[in-house]
Amino acid sequence: MIGEHIRALRESNDVLLRQLAAQLEIDQAMLSKMERSERSFKREHIDVLAKIFKQPKKDLLTMWLADKILKTAKSEKFTKEALRLAIDNV
Amino acid sequence: MIGEHIRALRESNDVLLRQLAAQLEIDQAMLSKMERSERSFKREHIDVLAKIFKQPKKDLLTMWLADKILKTAKSEKFTKEALRLAIDNV
DNA sequence: TTAAATTGTCCAAAATTTGTCAAGTCTTTT
DNA sequence: AAAAGACTTGACAAATTTTGGACAATTTAA
């Protein structure tokens, strides 16, 4: 989710994987995986990305967190119910 | 959340920490912490607890998962937004 | 006082996450 | 056809985090 979004931003700005990876100070193989949701972005990456692509930090952060949440929740049954219950208890 | 619930069940059934801990095969100090949400129940504990207290497994499991979710989400900003977004992407 | 529960701390084991690399595909150039 | 550029893949080691459990010392309440 955040991955696809970053990829879209990167491509529409004609930035190469290798270039963005350099800005994030990570290996390009890693970024490739991150964009395809095989690995996760770090919290700090989000700030950098928001700056680079001039996106509202809130949006990226929300997506990033939603991914994180789904990762922990999705392996279990009753995910939706649990998410709803979680919202009620924030 | 699941902790308080288990505690309520335990007390209303007049079961001692030490007794329930024995049934779960864990240290009583650990169960004490679990009921106060200082530690987490294991997934397997939920099945045992549902049996012991004759509760629908689904309810306990949902609470347990909601706790797990909140644990990963609650440290960040925009938790609610992220939870909503997560629901939309299940 | 005794029983019940809580607290604090430490440790080991397990699980997750990270990084790196070499090799692989695919597409475009020359 | 060969080369070059962009990206992907898988495997593996290293690092970090999370977790669980033990136990002693306290606190709380009957």
Side-chain angles (χ1 to χ4, degrees):
Chain A
M1 164 163 221
I2 181 79
E4 308 146 32
H5 194 244
I6 296 301
R7 169 151 298 188
L9 286 170
R10 178 174 65 77
E11 293 184 335
S12 71
N13 282 80
D14 285 302
V15 177
L16 299 180
L17 254 192
R18 142 165 65 82
Q19 300 174 318
L20 184 54
Q23 296 192 76
L24 294 175
E25 302 184 89
I26 59 179
D27 192 299
Q28 114 165 29
M30 194 78 50
L31 181 55
S32 166
K33 289 172 188 173
M34 288 168 170
E35 286 188 346
R36 285 170 299 104
S37 308
E38 205 184 297
R39 296 286 177 103
S40 308
F41 286 94
K42 287 196 181 175
R43 171 67 184 72
E44 310 89 67
H45 291 151
I46 303 302
D47 300 276
V48 181
L49 291 167
K51 276 224 170 104
I52 292 176
F53 295 118
K54 302 199 172 83
Q55 298 292 305
K57 201 185 288 186
K58 171 170 184 177
D59 295 358
L60 296 188
L61 218 44
T62 302
M63 277 188 230
W64 173 79
L65 186 51
D67 273 353
K68 207 170 142 195
I69 290 168
L70 283 175
K71 189 177 172 189
T72 80
K74 240 192 41 199
S75 54
E76 302 286 343
K77 276 180 180 173
F78 316 128
T79 304
K80 256 190 183 146
E81 289 88 337
L83 285 167
R84 280 194 258 275
L85 187 52
I87 287 187
D88 296 341
N89 285 275
V90 167
Chain B
M1 166 163 219
I2 181 78
E4 309 145 30
H5 195 244
I6 296 301
R7 168 151 300 186
L9 285 170
R10 179 174 64 77
E11 293 183 334
S12 72
N13 281 81
D14 286 303
V15 178
L16 298 180
L17 255 191
R18 147 164 63 81
Q19 300 174 319
L20 185 55
Q23 295 190 77
L24 294 174
E25 303 184 88
I26 58 178
D27 190 300
Q28 113 166 31
M30 193 78 50
L31 180 55
S32 166
K33 289 173 187 176
M34 288 169 169
E35 286 188 347
R36 285 170 298 105
S37 308
E38 206 184 295
R39 295 290 178 97
S40 309
F41 286 93
K42 284 193 181 177
R43 172 68 184 70
E44 310 89 70
H45 291 151
I46 303 303
D47 300 276
V48 181
L49 291 166
K51 276 223 170 105
I52 293 176
F53 295 119
K54 302 197 172 82
Q55 299 291 306
K57 200 184 289 186
K58 170 171 183 176
D59 294 358
L60 296 188
L61 218 44
T62 301
M63 280 188 229
W64 173 79
L65 185 51
D67 273 353
K68 206 169 140 196
I69 289 168
L70 284 175
K71 188 176 172 190
T72 81
K74 238 193 41 199
S75 54
E76 302 285 344
K77 277 179 178 172
F78 317 127
T79 305
K80 256 189 185 148
E81 289 87 338
L83 284 167
R84 282 193 257 275
L85 187 53
I87 288 187
D88 296 342
N89 284 276
V90 168

